[in-house]
Amino acid sequence: MLHYPYIPNSNEAVRKEMLDFIGAKSVEEIYSFIPDEVRMKKPLNLPEAFTSEVTLKRHVDGILNQDSTCDENISFLGAGCYNHYVPAICDEINGRSEFLTAYSGDTYADHGKLQAFFEFTSMMGELLNMDVVSFPTYDGGQAASTAIMMSHRINKCTTALVPETMNPNLRSQLDCYCGGMKLVSIKSRKDGQLDLSDLKNKLSGDVACVFIQNPAFLGFFEEQCEEIGKLAHSVGAEYIVYADPSSLGVAAAPADYGADIACGDIQPLGIHMSYGGGLGGYLATRQEEQYVMNYPHHLYSIFENSKGQFGYARALPERTSYYVREKAVEYLGTCVGLWAVTAAVYLALMGPDGMKELGENILYKSNYAQKKLSGIKTITFPHKNSHSFMEFVVNFDGLGKTVAEINKELLKHHIFGGYDLSRQMPSMGQSMLVCVTEKTELSEIDAFVEALKKIL
Amino acid sequence: MSDPKLRNFHEAQWDEPIIFEQSVPGSRSMLIPDVSKEAAPVTGEVSGLMPESLKRSKKPALPELGQPQVLRHYLRLSQETIGQDINIDIGLGTCTMKYSPKINEQFVRSPKFAEMHPYQDDDTAQGILKLIYDFEQIMKEISGLDAVSFQAGGGGQGIYANAAVLKKYFEDRGEADKRTQIITTILSHPLNSAAPATKGFEVISLYPDENGYPSLENLKAVVSEKTAGIFITNPEDTGVFNPIIRQFVDVVHEAGGLCVCDMADYNGLFGLVRAKELGADMCHFNLHKAFASPHACMGPGCAAQCVSAELEKYLPRPRVRFDGTRYYTDYEDRDSVGKIRQFHGALSAVIRAYSWVMSLGTEGLKAVGETAILNNNYMMKRVLNEVRGITMSWAEEAPNRLEQVRYSFETMLKETGVSAEHVNRHMLDFGFQRFFPSHHPLIVPEPYTPEPTESYSKADIDEYIAALKKISEEAYSTPEVVLTAPHNGPISVLENDHIETVDQLAVTWRSYKKQHGKA
């Protein structure tokens, strides 16, 4: 056998010593009880291995170096994954071996991990103005799915009202997950705001929840959010708000305008985009039995021992599928614990003033970008009468070029244009969803405008 | 054989206050550029850019600290955490705690991956698309199945994704109303019950017979025209391999159901057994377990969902395709279950798993499986012969094990009053992470399920066994030492670590303060 660096007992002398102890001539003799009918008949046909680290690194770098990143270009892509700045300390902490390679150890051996989890939920609780925040789940879509199913379990109703202009990928995830629920779309007004008369028409005694995104998927703030909540409550429905945490330094917490359940994605909180892999979902509610007992997630509660030390343990664990299997409200598995640690570090670094400055920086830039782009007479802003946060829609209808063609030409200027909405939302025509963040320079916005002028 | 010397270990005990308690109002550790001077002349003041109804009236009560203080705080918390990298993590069986090569961290932390947006033009993402595509080909070979998706973000979501495909398959055949039942085994991971139940299936759990796995008769008794499929792990979490798995699969297939394998306990089977030979129509592998992506405080992980050609069209979208010259993202989703997770999934695990497989190749993967079996069988013989108070489940009827074993401390509890949980807490005092007892329900009393993967040397295993022996000796001579453990952890025993009612819950500092009159 070759020496494999990751397999210390590939050492032949050691193997012989161990086999002698066991009393077997070979490992094959140990597993001789595996029936022939389930054994492979020939060896795996895999590519030749790069057994030394130096050649392995050259190989994998060679693949990844073919890519051209948002750091190497000017990116205006968002639509569910955001190019925020990641503070160095976030990477420093989540790269620590202790956190990176820990798993499900608990109260004692992983006390520090549990304290970091508790601080994550605690800081999210302050941002959201809610007392219960879950251990994070796979992504915002999973959190939204559970929020909707939670509302169904609370009031037994089976209709969920969702905006027709919500994130189509999120909608696809809800369609897959929310079995037995009828998802009904609420129309939007021309300025993007939810059409309250359509909402009123669709309210009934069977509405489990009214779900909105705020800021909306198309970038603007849903300004009637308080009224929407009152309408939901008028029929006994739960009011669910999917909120971007990076907006909450300047925007009101969903609970402050009546939300019963808040959910969303924590990727903006110090986690790299990683081609969409850096997502994580949060879910938060008031501390009431009807909500708490409907969380499928771990809930780490704080306790104090007789020495005055704080410690943490999974609370009410018999809710979860680990304990009661199919009788649990939903399944629960390995999700994104490392992102809880990372988001905790992020929020601790930002503090209240950092979150406010972040929101203000983004507000300035998205509005700056729209003002500058509005100098191009031929393009339009369908939602210009609404207030945008980080993203906004630009429409190119009637210009003889598709967004796909425009984005191809922008690429020649090393610019990643906004997300092409025409694929998933054809009713929007040739529109792109432009995203700016605190990483976007005003000069980069100017360069975008100039490039578009040339292209159009 | 003489035992190695045990460590005089003490985990860091920083008595680190909750971060809110360290807040000094006005302190800052991250500044964001003020662009008002350049932007405001164009946009107007920021106060006019928000609708009045949505302005935040009160700043969030986040802690305020300087940057060195934030760094130090979380470094201290990291030192009060025991990752696989710094301990002999044999204890956490069923979790396949193996070495996560550091070179792979360089790849996923490189801006060449970390700063990629999922909606970039495919022409700018040929590298990552190629890697996804190539690893799909590798996983097809390793599973023996025909198509792969990496969208599921963990083992549970992988099982869920397979349940979603199963449901869609029967919907397409017009049988969804009839095929409502899933069969699994009570010793499979609980998510083989819970995830199909979340998808709306009724779940039937088979109990083991005297051989440690369910009998064929018990299976036949529950299979019917209502059977949609069987979700099965082999070997199960006990380490017992079901030798009549093919007959199980045949019975389910004959009844029109499909077979879904949870490969969570696969580490011993590399190069030996595949999903295909087991007769599976679908399976999933946890890339954060057998494929060496780190467990990361419980994720992000990734499940490689592998399916037969007949089921390929139902896989989540998008898929990655190759037209002979160019890789591209295929969003067409007419038959798909839709989205399980946003975008392509947690690809950091895919990159690490790809690199891990490419470092080993065919022979290396076989060495992984064989060494996992060797290590476990070495440990098993020593534990059963040398550690007083430990027994193995189904030891006489099914004496063979592959990569892990479910032991029992029942004898020790009866003879000394020391339980598995007491032993578990005391392991920390010798520098070892907590061990995994068992999933629920506890079919084996006082359970203990270690898994000495291929990452551990003989010396590592010997040291681990020496600690077990020491604790056993203490249980029989000075049990109070074990009963009051841990002694050398970050905190002393938490006498009360459970609550009865929801109003006692405190998962946030604000909730805790309200309950203790500090708000």
Side-chain angles (χ1 to χ4, degrees), chain A residues 67 97 121 169 173 176 306, chain B residues 85 112 119 199 342 495 507:
Chain A
D67 292 338
S97 275
T121 51
N169 286 341
Q173 214 173 338
C176 180
S306 59
Chain B
D85 277 351
K112 290 304 274 186
Y119 284 143
K199 197 63 206 165
Q342 294 296 295
E495 296 91 349
V507 298

Side-chain angles (χ1 to χ4, degrees), chain B residues 9-46:
Chain B
F9 173 80
H10 200 303
E11 191 171 352
Q13 183 179 50
W14 283 106
D15 280 332
E16 184 65 8
I18 307 284
I19 195 153
F20 291 92
E21 297 178 294
Q22 303 178 52
S23 181
V24 179
S27 304
R28 297 295 302 272
S29 50
M30 193 55 54
L31 303 177
I32 302 297
D34 178 5
V35 292
S36 60
K37 202 169 147 203
E38 299 83 7
V42 178
T43 64
E45 286 305 317
V46 73

